[in-house]
Amino acid sequence: MLAEPFNWQPGMWKVLIVVMCVALLGCLQAQELQEHVSIILLGATGDLAKKYLWQGLFQLYLDEAGRGHSFSFHGAALTAPKQGQELMAKALESLSCPKDMAPSHCAEEKDQFLQLSRYRQLKTAEDYQALNKDIEAQLQHAGLREAGRIFYFSVPPFAYADIARNINSSCRPGPGAWLRVVLEKPFGHDHFSAQQLATELGSFFQEEEMYRVDHYLGKQAVAQILPFRDQNRKALDSLWNRHHVERVEIIMKETVDAEGRTSFYEEYGVIRDVLQNHLTEVLTLVAMELPLNVSSAEAVLRHKLQVFQALRGLQRGSAVVGQYQSYSEQVRRELQKPDSFHSLTPTFAAVLVHVDNLRWEGVPFILMSGKALDERVGYARILFKNQACCVQSEKHWAAAQSQCLPRQLIFHIGHGDLGSSAVLVSRNLFRPSLPSSWKEMEGPPGLRLFGSPLSDYYAYSPVQERGAHSVLLSHIFHGRKDSFITTENLLASWGFWTPLLESLAHKAPRLYPGGAESGRLLDFEFSSGRLFFSQQQPEQLVPGPGPAAMPSDFQVLRAKYRESPLVSAWSEELISKLANDIEATAVRAVRRFGQFHLALSGGSSPVALFQQLATAHYGFPWAHTHLWLVDERCVPLSDPESNFQGLQAHLLQHVRVPYYNIHPMPVHLQQRLCAEEDQGAQIYAREISALVANSSFDLVLLGMGADGHTASLFPQSPTGLDGEQLVVLTTSPSQPHRRMSLSLPLINRAKKVAVLVMGRMKREITALVSRVGCEPKKWPISGVLPHSGQLVWYMDYDAFLA
């Protein structure tokens, strides 16, 4: 008997399709379960691994193991297997689970994680080859498909090259799997060393394979800066600019000192350790133009680089530095230095940064960090201008309504009185919008932050606190590059910081006791692009084992140098003294003759003087002052290397000198630079003769080069050392080679000549010139001997100690 044909109903086809889809989805999920990730932690028994990395890896396992990924964790170090396994086991004892996880479940997860974690010694090329074979054997045995490998370098940078070479030659995953190499700072010591390291690593890894960690980018408050700005675009668009922001403070304070870490700290110091990386990254997040898509790593990194391009160059006057008093003693003890050793490494620094673009022009960004301070706290604070005037008394001001109360936005990075990450917005600004992973918070009663009670803020904290390394490990696993430092970003940062570091290399930091005992010693102020301590405190000339020097212990030293008056002091006090003397000379000249003719040298030494005159000498008779240049490089006046450009940036734009009283050297005529046929030197000489009585300046400010040159009169170029010419064209041994300069005979006609000599680099020439006679062809500075005027030397102690 034949079976009757099955009668398919239309609805049954739909059921069949659903069944097939479910089966296919199950197959895909099964395939997903076969994806395996190997994580190799190099330096697995070190401090960073013990404190943060193993816990971060455990959290990654908890987050991802249940989502179709399998893992193996290889702790690696140079230590022999038995000892290394013991050290690693001890590090893994401190693993903790989320607070909301049941203890029994926690114990089960920890046990599974420990079973997946094993120690191995990675010392030789053969060790890396063996690791690769073990990973491949594990994959084959378990029938797993390799998703990728993560190598986390928790080792000193000097070990990077050898490890990278071994990974590249022996431990790369097979086709179709990814490789991610995680690097911890420091990434170099300056721009040159960072470039070298980047080039070396770039020979082994592609840019997309490298994840340079700055753990600050994993801090929850820092990670919230861009999303917060994006989610509150409408409220912030009109406020986030120079018209409304008074200043930005980016701060990281620590109570601990550098004891036990002085070998590292002697090489890096606080600027390299904190400001160049952590605080600079926060700066870029605050200052960058907001991309349309803040989730696009490419767009974020591009906008960060635009910030670096807009940063104004740092100079020595952009920073103040300090050092806690017991630091040198700690260095002597830990590094076996002699009793006479005294470190110049700063343990405290504050730096004034400007972003020269339309949004931020003129807004000061203060970056500050230090050890042995009075509290541990980190934050980025945007303080808004307050131009309101309230008629009612303060007791009637309502936090959400009164515009007379402070208006500020704070990304509280951690610690401090709050004790955790937070975002605070003054209630008189706007009510912010934050994602569901943040909740409104309440602090202890009576808590005040940044001058206001906590109740004056909309305050939010994370629903779940997560460690920075845990956040970053999750981003690495998912291939998110926006939380890491690219090579381009790294070199841009070092390019910005290296000139300042070089200028501070020989600067003696201000000593401070540490903690609350430091009082106001480290308080600082800023004005006209310059940062300075609020309290004057000449530093200790030769620090001894006794108590630190007090401000009254050292005064301005008056003596003789080459039979002429010498004024010597620490650099800040010396600049202050010279500025006072110039103002006094100007006032006397205007009183007697109605005008004051001042000729100024270029270079780096006078910058601090120009800034002092611009910011602290309101009685200076600028309206009656004629400003001349002692010398000029043969470049356009708008060129950054132009002496006139330096004078404009640091003095002229801040004072009111009539434009017809400003006399730049005519180095750029007929669209040519210092061409003999244009007669620029003769034109300047005629201008001087026409306006300056007897061609005798009231005051000429000179410097002294390390080769004994002054103005642009060089030993190798005898032009201008004698004869009748008032202004000459000369040749410099360094670029740009062509210069224009006042001649020595003209300089010696001046009523007063001041020679400013600063820095340790001048010690050798200072000692040499003190012993020679008048030999201007060998040492042009020795020919500065005013015929009927006065010569005064101004030297800081760094130069004078010779």
Side-chain angles (χ1 to χ4, degrees):
M1 181 175 170
L2 293 173
E4 292 184 15
F6 190 81
N7 187 19
W8 287 91
Q9 299 297 322
M12 296 181 70
W13 284 106
K14 294 181 181 179
V15 172
L16 181 60
I17 291 170
V18 170
V19 170
M20 290 175 65
C21 288
V22 170
L24 179 61
L25 182 61
C27 291
L28 290 172
Q29 287 177 334
Q31 185 178 6
E32 181 71 20
L33 285 172
Q34 301 303 305
E35 290 214 334
H36 185 80
V37 177
S38 303
I39 300 179
I40 300 92
L41 175 55
L42 298 134
T45 58
D47 286 343
L48 183 66
K50 287 187 280 189
K51 287 181 180 177
Y52 303 112
L53 299 182
W54 280 116
Q55 180 62 43
L57 291 173
F58 180 49
Q59 185 63 51
L60 177 68
Y61 170 74
L62 294 176
D63 292 341
E64 303 296 341
R67 299 179 183 176
H69 297 97
S70 62
F71 290 90
S72 58
F73 300 92
H74 304 264
L78 299 176
T79 312
K82 185 178 179 183
Q83 184 185 1
Q85 183 63 49
E86 291 172 356
L87 291 170
M88 194 176 105
K90 192 169 183 181
L92 292 172
E93 288 175 1
S94 59
L95 296 180
S96 61
C97 298
K99 293 177 182 177
D100 58 353
M101 183 178 287
S104 58
H105 186 200
C106 176
E108 183 182 329
E109 294 284 7
K110 285 170 71 172
D111 185 58
Q112 290 176 357
F113 180 78
L114 293 174
Q115 290 179 33
L116 295 172
S117 305
R118 55 173 296 190
Y119 176 83
R120 65 187 309 134
Q121 185 181 34
L122 285 183
K123 195 172 185 178
T124 66
E126 291 73 22
D127 292 334
Y128 285 87
Q129 292 165 9
L131 169 64
N132 187 58
K133 287 179 181 177
D134 286 354
I135 292 175
E136 289 178 348
Q138 180 187 4
L139 293 168
Q140 188 173 2
H141 177 74
L144 301 170
R145 189 174 75 84
E146 184 167 28
R149 300 179 189 180
I150 296 173
F151 284 85
Y152 200 117
F153 286 40
S154 179
V155 295
F158 67 76
Y160 283 4
D162 285 341
I163 296 172
R165 186 178 295 106
N166 284 318
I167 292 172
N168 187 53
S169 63
S170 307
C171 270
R172 279 187 169 274
W178 45 256
L179 172 68
R180 290 171 190 157
V181 176
V182 188
L183 306 162
E184 280 278 353
K185 77 177 186 74
F187 310 119
H189 185 265
D190 53 21
H191 187 269
F192 178 72
S193 60
Q195 177 73 72
Q196 280 188 313
L197 183 59
T199 301
E200 196 165 30
L201 289 170
S203 66
F204 301 116
F205 306 124
Q206 300 295 319
E207 180 67 32
E208 61 268 20
E209 294 176 328
M210 290 186 284
Y211 290 71
R212 291 183 185 87
V213 169
D214 183 329
H215 79 272
Y216 242 53
L217 293 176
K219 299 277 189 181
Q220 288 174 284
V222 175
Q224 186 57 218
I225 294 175
L226 284 187
F228 179 90
R229 290 181 57 192
D230 183 46
Q231 208 163 340
N232 295 277
R233 279 181 191 259
K234 188 173 181 180
L236 287 173
D237 270 352
S238 61
L239 293 172
W240 210 254
N241 57 62
R242 60 192 168 98
H243 301 297
H244 295 279
V245 176
E246 181 179 314
R247 69 171 182 262
V248 178
E249 301 169 3
I250 304 172
I251 309 296
M252 190 183 104
K253 296 167 66 178
E254 296 183 273
T255 54
V256 298
D257 60 20
E259 189 170 15
R261 295 184 69 225
T262 56
S263 60
F264 169 84
Y265 226 73
E266 268 301 275
E267 186 176 359
Y268 290 94
V270 67
I271 295 178
R272 290 180 174 92
D273 187 35
V274 178
L275 279 78
Q276 179 272 327
N277 37 70
H278 303 330
L279 303 194
T280 301
E281 284 300 311
V282 176
L283 165 69
T284 61
L285 294 174
V286 172
M288 66 188 278
E289 293 299 309
L290 204 56
L292 290 175
N293 179 10
V294 297
S295 299
S296 165
E298 184 181 344
V300 169
L301 294 169
R302 185 172 64 251
H303 284 238
K304 277 188 176 183
L305 285 171
Q306 290 172 0
V307 175
F308 282 112
Q309 292 164 4
L311 291 177
R312 184 186 303 174
L314 297 174
Q315 303 195 5
R316 185 166 170 166
S318 304
V320 291
V321 292
Q323 182 191 98
Y324 63 83
Q325 286 174 353
S326 61
Y327 177 76
S328 283
E329 191 277 326
Q330 289 173 348
V331 174
R332 289 193 292 269
R333 184 177 67 249
E334 292 181 17
L335 304 184
Q336 287 80 52
K337 297 284 186 180
D339 291 344
S340 59
F341 175 82
H342 294 280
S343 173
L344 293 178
T345 301
T347 62
F348 166 86
V351 179
L352 176 61
V353 177
H354 281 96
V355 183
D356 287 335
N357 59 22
L358 284 175
R359 183 179 295 277
W360 296 113
E361 185 180 7
V363 177
F365 284 72
I366 305 295
L367 276 59
M368 185 199 85
S369 184
K371 289 191 172 293
L373 299 179
D374 64 315
E375 64 174 338
R376 183 185 184 190
V377 69
Y379 59 85
R381 178 191 184 209
I382 297 91
L383 181 64
F384 293 88
K385 294 177 181 177
N386 193 334
Q387 298 171 329
C389 183
C390 295
V391 175
Q392 288 189 303
S393 63
E394 186 175 348
K395 63 186 177 183
H396 296 298
W397 295 354
Q401 298 172 353
S402 176
Q403 293 303 304
C404 286
L405 289 169
R407 304 193 306 157
Q408 46 197 336
L409 165 57
I410 298 110
F411 296 97
H412 194 274
I413 298 167
H415 306 291
D417 291 333
L418 272 180
S420 64
S421 300
V423 176
L424 310 173
V425 182
S426 293
R427 289 181 179 271
N428 57 359
L429 269 176
F430 61 91
R431 186 181 186 94
S433 173
L434 276 90
S436 59
S437 56
W438 289 69
K439 66 181 191 303
E440 288 201 59
M441 64 177 294
E442 293 182 7
L447 177 62
R448 295 182 65 85
L449 296 165
F450 307 100
S452 301
L454 185 61
S455 58
D456 280 5
Y457 298 99
Y458 294 111
Y460 297 82
S461 63
V463 172
Q464 182 183 1
E465 290 278 347
R466 294 195 65 175
H469 285 89
S470 173
V471 172
L472 293 177
L473 280 164
S474 175
H475 290 183
I476 294 162
F477 178 79
H478 290 287
R480 283 185 52 183
K481 293 281 286 184
D482 54 314
S483 300
F484 300 91
I485 313 300
T486 63
T487 300
E488 201 173 4
N489 199 106
L490 174 71
L491 296 179
S493 179
W494 275 120
F496 174 65
W497 285 100
T498 297
L500 176 68
L501 289 163
E502 290 174 347
S503 72
L504 294 174
H506 302 292
K507 180 179 175 65
R510 171 171 288 196
L511 298 178
Y512 60 96
E517 293 179 28
S518 297
R520 296 185 57 239
L521 266 179
L522 297 178
D523 289 356
F524 57 89
E525 302 170 27
F526 55 90
S527 179
S528 302
R530 181 170 169 264
L531 209 63
F532 47 90
F533 284 119
S534 302
Q535 287 188 343
Q536 291 295 316
Q537 186 208 26
E539 288 131 86
Q540 197 167 346
L541 183 59
V542 183
M550 296 305 291
S552 59
D553 292 343
F554 298 101
Q555 304 298 328
V556 174
L557 175 66
R558 291 176 175 81
K560 291 279 186 179
Y561 179 81
R562 290 181 56 83
E563 300 183 2
S564 293
L566 166 70
V567 178
S568 192
W570 290 110
S571 56
E572 287 182 19
E573 195 170 8
L574 181 72
I575 290 297
S576 179
K577 170 63 178 167
L578 176 54
N580 288 338
D581 290 351
I582 293 175
E583 180 176 352
T585 304
V587 170
R588 284 195 300 269
V590 171
R591 190 178 296 136
R592 289 189 63 190
F593 307 111
Q595 55 189 1
F596 173 57
H597 288 276
L598 172 63
L600 296 169
S601 289
S604 58
S605 292
V607 168
L609 173 67
F610 296 162
Q611 293 171 336
Q612 179 77 8
L613 288 170
T615 58
H617 289 264
Y618 297 104
F620 201 103
W622 293 114
H624 304 283
T625 295
H626 284 258
L627 290 174
W628 304 81
L629 285 180
V630 167
D631 63 330
E632 181 60 280
R633 297 173 171 90
C634 292
V635 296
L637 296 185
S638 59
D639 192 290
E641 291 197 6
S642 162
N643 288 343
F644 180 78
Q645 183 59 227
L647 184 67
Q648 162 68 19
H650 301 292
L651 179 63
L652 293 180
Q653 68 172 332
H654 306 295
V655 297
R656 293 185 177 180
V657 180
Y659 73 92
Y660 44 79
N661 283 6
I662 300 170
H663 308 281
M665 282 185 158
V667 294
H668 197 185
L669 298 172
Q670 307 294 331
Q671 298 184 345
R672 296 180 293 197
L673 292 168
C674 294
E676 294 275 3
E677 54 269 35
D678 292 334
Q679 298 190 334
Q682 293 89 325
I683 292 171
Y684 206 55
R686 287 196 293 270
E687 189 175 2
I688 292 169
S689 299
L691 296 176
V692 183
N694 302 317
S695 299
S696 176
F697 291 106
D698 296 300
L699 193 149
V700 174
L701 175 69
L702 299 175
M704 178 170 68
D707 59 354
H709 84 265
T710 192
S712 280
L713 305 173
F714 300 95
Q716 304 90 339
S717 177
T719 309
L721 300 178
D722 50 28
E724 298 298 320
Q725 286 183 278
L726 301 183
V727 184
V728 293
L729 292 176
T730 67
T731 303
S732 165
S734 58
Q735 291 187 339
H737 297 298
R738 291 289 279 167
R739 309 287 176 94
M740 186 179 289
S741 177
L742 303 186
S743 68
L744 195 56
L746 177 59
I747 290 170
N748 283 333
R749 291 188 193 183
K751 298 182 178 72
K752 182 175 181 178
V753 177
V755 183
L756 176 61
V757 186
M758 296 176 67
R760 293 190 174 204
M761 301 295 288
K762 302 295 176 65
R763 283 189 180 184
E764 188 174 334
I765 190 63
T766 299
L768 177 62
V769 170
S770 70
R771 299 190 295 268
V772 303
C774 181
E775 299 182 64
K777 291 186 178 180
K778 289 184 178 179
W779 302 284
I781 189 68
S782 69
V784 177
L785 297 165
H787 304 315
S788 56
Q790 182 188 28
L791 171 63
V792 181
W793 296 82
Y794 292 82
M795 292 186 187
D796 71 355
Y797 286 141
D798 281 336
F800 175 67
L801 280 174

